[in-house]
Amino acid sequence: MTPEIITVMAVLLFAVLLFIFEWVRVDVVGIIMMVILPLLGLVTPKQAISGLSSNAVVSIIAVIIIGAGLDKTGVMNSLARVILRFSGKSESRIMTLISGTVAIISGFMQNIGAAALFLPAAKRIGNQTGVPVGRLLMPMGFCAIIGGCLTLVGSSPLILLNDLMVVGGTHYEPFGLFSVTPVGLVLVAAALTYFIIFGRFILPNRAEDENSGPMSSVLAHTYSNVGSMFELHVPTNWERSDPLHALELRPIYFCTLVAIARDGGKVHIFAPESDETIMAGDHLVVVGPEEFVEHLAEDMGWALQPELTTFAEELSPNNAGIMEGLVTPRSELVDTTLGELRIRKRFQVSPLAIFRGDKIFVSGLSDIVIRSGDALLLHGRWEMFHMLKGLPDLVFTESVKGELLRTEKAKVALMWLAISLVMILGFHVQLSIALLTGALGMVLTKVLTIDEAYQSVDWMTVFLLGGLIPLGMAFENTGAAKFIADTIMAALGTPSPVLLLTVIGILTSFFTLVASNVGATVLLVPLSMNMAINAGVDPRVAALTVAVAASNTFVLPTHQVNALIMRPGGYRTIDYVRSGAGMTVIYMVVMIAALMTFY
C-alpha cells in the first residue's frame, strides 16, 4: 500500500465523517474536496475543478431549468392533477404512483433527468395533500436510481457494459436492450414494497420551507383565533334569497366567506362581495374557528364537508393562501374603509382580520377606517397577491408564494423537452448538450427569463457533486480502487457462484458511493469476469452484476439524484443512512436472487 493510497483513504474517511456529523453543510464538503485533493497532490488542479464542468453536473443544471420551465407553464400542475385523480390523498398511493412513474421513465433516460422533471410535481402534490414532501422525494429518488436498471440504456454502467465484456481478446455475447428488465422490475417492486411497509418509520416528516395549510406558522401563531378553512354545501332545498351581508356570518359566527362554487362547480366566485346571494346547491369555503363553523352549518342547515373537495386544487396551498400586508403611509387605503374601496371586487382577496397596536379585529372590518401601519390579514389566490405586491399600498411581511404561470407557453415548453429527448435517444447527442439545448430554447422562447433560469438551479447540489467527482478521480489516480479490488478478489480463492456475485455486488456498491459509477464499472467488469472464469461462473452474469450493483448507492447523498432531492426534501445525511441502509441490503439480496433466478 503506497503513501498515496493511504492518503486518499484518509481523505475519504474525513469526507464521510463530515457527511455524518454535519460539521459543515454538504456543499461545503464538496468545496473542501476541491481544495484539499490538489493540495495533497492526489489530483491535478485541473481535475480538482473539472467536476463543475462535468457532463453530470451540467446535465443537472440544464434539466433543473427544463423542469422549472415545465412548472412555470403549468404542465406540472396538470401532471399533479392526473396523479391525484388516481391516488386521492393516500400517502402510500401517491408515493407509489410518483415513484413508479419516475422509475419507468428512468429506464429510458438518465435518472437525474427523470427525478428533476418530477421534482416540481412531487412538491406540488405534497403541498396540496398535506403529505410532507420529505416522505415523497426520497422514495422517488431511490426509484429513479433503480429505474436505470430497467433497460440497457437507463444508466451509464449498463450503457458501457457490452463494450467492456472482453477477456483475453474474446468478446462475449452482448446483452439486449431489455435483457436486464426482469431484474430491474423486481428491484423497483422491492423498493416500493420497502417504502410502503417501512416508510412511516424511516422517512422524515420535516421538509424545508414547506407548509401544508393556507397560513404560515408565523401568522398562525399571531392570528390563531382567525381559524381554518372549511367547505360547506348548501342543500337543494335552500330557499332564502338574502344578500350575503344579511346572513351576518362575521358578526355572529366570526367566519369569512372566501369562495363560492355553483352550477356543479363550473362557476367559481372568489372573494364574493357582500351583496352576493347564496343559492341552493352552492359549495362555500369559509375561514373561521371550527366550533363556530359547526354552529354556522347547524343553524343554516348547510352540510360541513370533511375536507375541501370542490376547491381542493384551486384553494390548495399551491394556488392560494393567507398573507399579512402592512399599510404604507402613501397607500390609498389610509383614511378610508375596506367597504368604500371594495377591495374584494378590485383585488379578489378577502379580508380576515385587521391587526392594530396590540388588538386584532375580526368583525366589522368593512367599517373600520384604515390607518398607516395597520396589518391586514387577507386570503386570496397567489396570482392576486403577486399583483398586489407590485402596488405601493401594502408591504407583505412574508414572501408571496406561488407564481404567475405562463400557461400559454405550455406547448412550447413541452416542445423543447421533446427536442432534448429526441436528441438524446434518436441522435445520441451527449446528455449535457442535448439538455442545454432544451434549457436554452426555453429561455429564447420566453418560457423562462434568464434570471428565473438562474434562480431555479440548486447551487448546493452543483457544488456538492462538483467536489465529489475529483474524489473519485483521486481513487483511480492513486490506484486505491484497483488495490482494494485486487486484494479482495485474491482473498476469495475459488468461491461459490452466490458468494462471488455477492462480493462483486458489495465491492461495486462501495466504489459507487465514493467514486463514479462509470469508474467502478470500468475497473470491476474485467476483474469480476476473470474471477468468474476461474470460479466456473458465467462471466457475463458477473459483468451484469457489476453494472446493476453500480446503482446500489443510497446511504450517502453522493449520487446525483440523492444530492438533487436533499434540499427540497429537507434531508440530512442521517436520513439517507436511516432509509438507505435497509434499501442497500434489500437491493443486494433481491439483485443476487434475481440474477441467480433469471441467469
Side-chain angles (χ1 to χ4, degrees), residues 29-31 33-34 37 48 51-52 462-471:
V29 178
I31 298 172
M33 292 300 106
M34 286 187 209
L37 289 170
L52 294 175
V462 171
F463 279 95
L464 169 60
L465 291 176
L468 292 177
I469 287 172
L471 179 58

Side-chain angles (χ1 to χ4, degrees), residues 203-255:
L203 292 172
N205 283 305
R206 66 184 176 277
E208 186 173 291
D209 298 330
E210 296 293 346
N211 176 43
S212 60
M215 194 186 314
S216 72
S217 56
V218 175
L219 292 182
H221 180 73
T222 304
Y223 297 96
S224 56
N225 61 328
V226 169
S228 303
M229 199 156 51
F230 301 91
E231 184 169 329
L232 299 159
H233 178 243
V234 181
T236 53
N237 59 358
W238 174 264
E239 296 179 351
R240 293 179 61 174
S241 58
D242 303 332
L244 186 57
H245 63 80
L247 299 179
E248 297 186 310
L249 302 187
R250 198 194 297 271
I252 298 176
Y253 303 102
F254 298 100
C255 293

Side-chain angles (χ1 to χ4, degrees), residues 20-337:
I20 293 174
F21 293 104
E22 297 180 328
W23 292 319
V24 294
R25 214 170 68 172
V26 291
D27 49 334
V28 179
V29 178
I31 298 172
I32 289 172
M33 292 300 106
M34 286 187 209
V35 173
I36 198 172
L37 289 170
L39 290 178
L40 292 173
L42 300 174
V43 297
T44 66
K46 184 177 180 180
Q47 287 176 322
I49 60 173
S50 64
L52 294 175
S53 62
S54 69
N55 183 58
V57 171
V58 175
S59 297
I60 287 174
I61 294 172
V63 80
I64 289 175
I65 294 172
I66 291 175
L70 295 173
D71 195 35
K72 187 74 175 177
T73 56
V75 173
M76 287 307 172
N77 261 347
S78 302
L79 179 61
R81 196 178 301 122
V82 172
I83 292 174
L84 287 172
R85 187 179 303 141
F86 291 99
S87 66
K89 293 193 174 182
S90 166
E91 179 180 326
S92 60
R93 285 203 299 269
I94 292 171
M95 182 272 292
T96 302
L97 275 173
I98 292 176
S99 303
T101 304
V102 171
I104 293 171
I105 294 175
S106 225
F108 298 92
M109 67 180 294
Q110 290 290 322
N111 44 36
I112 182 64
L117 288 177
F118 264 73
L119 183 59
K123 292 173 68 177
R124 286 184 178 276
I125 290 170
N127 280 343
Q128 186 162 325
T129 59
V131 176
V133 176
R135 300 178 71 82
L136 297 177
L137 293 188
M138 190 168 287
M140 182 195 80
F142 284 11
C143 284
I145 295 171
I146 298 170
C149 298
L150 288 174
T151 69
L152 219 65
V153 296
S155 66
S156 299
L158 285 166
I159 292 172
L160 291 170
L161 180 60
N162 285 335
D163 292 334
L164 297 174
M165 290 198 306
V166 181
V167 178
T170 302
H171 289 259
Y172 282 81
E173 180 185 350
F175 288 100
L177 178 62
F178 298 104
S179 295
V180 74
T181 302
V183 178
L185 288 173
V186 173
L187 287 169
V188 171
L192 292 175
T193 304
Y194 170 65
F195 281 112
I196 290 172
I197 296 174
F198 299 106
R200 71 189 72 178
F201 307 111
I202 59 175
L203 292 172
N205 283 305
R206 66 184 176 277
E208 186 173 291
D209 298 330
E210 296 293 346
N211 176 43
S212 60
M215 194 186 314
S216 72
S217 56
V218 175
L219 292 182
H221 180 73
T222 304
Y223 297 96
S224 56
N225 61 328
V226 169
S228 303
M229 199 156 51
F230 301 91
E231 184 169 329
L232 299 159
H233 178 243
V234 181
T236 53
N237 59 358
W238 174 264
E239 296 179 351
R240 293 179 61 174
S241 58
D242 303 332
L244 186 57
H245 63 80
L247 299 179
E248 297 186 310
L249 302 187
R250 198 194 297 271
I252 298 176
Y253 303 102
F254 298 100
C255 293
T256 303
L257 182 62
V258 298
I260 301 173
R262 59 180 43 141
D263 293 340
K266 297 178 181 177
V267 177
H268 286 181
I269 303 170
F270 295 100
E273 294 189 80
S274 59
D275 56 0
E276 185 67 52
T277 302
I278 305 298
M279 300 173 63
D282 282 353
H283 282 262
L284 315 175
V285 177
V286 299
V287 175
E290 184 174 5
E291 61 271 24
F292 286 97
V293 175
E294 290 173 349
H295 288 309
L296 167 64
E298 183 179 352
D299 293 347
M300 296 292 180
W302 298 342
L304 178 60
Q305 307 297 299
E307 59 186 14
L308 293 188
T309 52
T310 308
F311 288 96
E313 181 179 346
E314 288 187 301
L315 293 185
S316 74
N318 288 327
N319 301 314
I322 295 173
M323 296 291 297
E324 180 187 55
L326 299 178
V327 179
T328 64
R330 59 184 180 279
S331 171
E332 66 172 318
L333 277 64
V334 175
D335 295 331
T336 62
T337 66

Side-chain angles (χ1 to χ4, degrees), residues 421-477:
L421 294 178
V422 169
M423 292 175 70
I424 296 165
L425 300 176
F427 296 94
H428 305 291
V429 176
Q430 183 169 302
L431 183 68
S432 55
I433 302 302
L435 292 173
L436 273 178
T437 301
L440 177 62
M442 288 193 175
V443 172
L444 293 178
T445 53
K446 298 183 179 179
V447 172
L448 290 169
T449 66
I450 188 63
D451 289 333
E452 288 169 340
Y454 288 143
Q455 291 164 9
S456 68
V457 177
D458 185 352
W459 297 104
M460 185 187 85
T461 302
V462 171
F463 279 95
L464 169 60
L465 291 176
L468 292 177
I469 287 172
L471 179 58
M473 292 178 179
F475 249 75
E476 295 175 25
N477 288 354

Side-chain angles (χ1 to χ4, degrees), residues 342-355:
R342 304 193 72 178
I343 192 170
R344 287 173 174 261
K345 181 176 182 179
R346 291 179 62 189
F347 303 116
Q348 291 187 23
V349 293
S350 301
L352 304 178
I354 296 176
F355 185 65

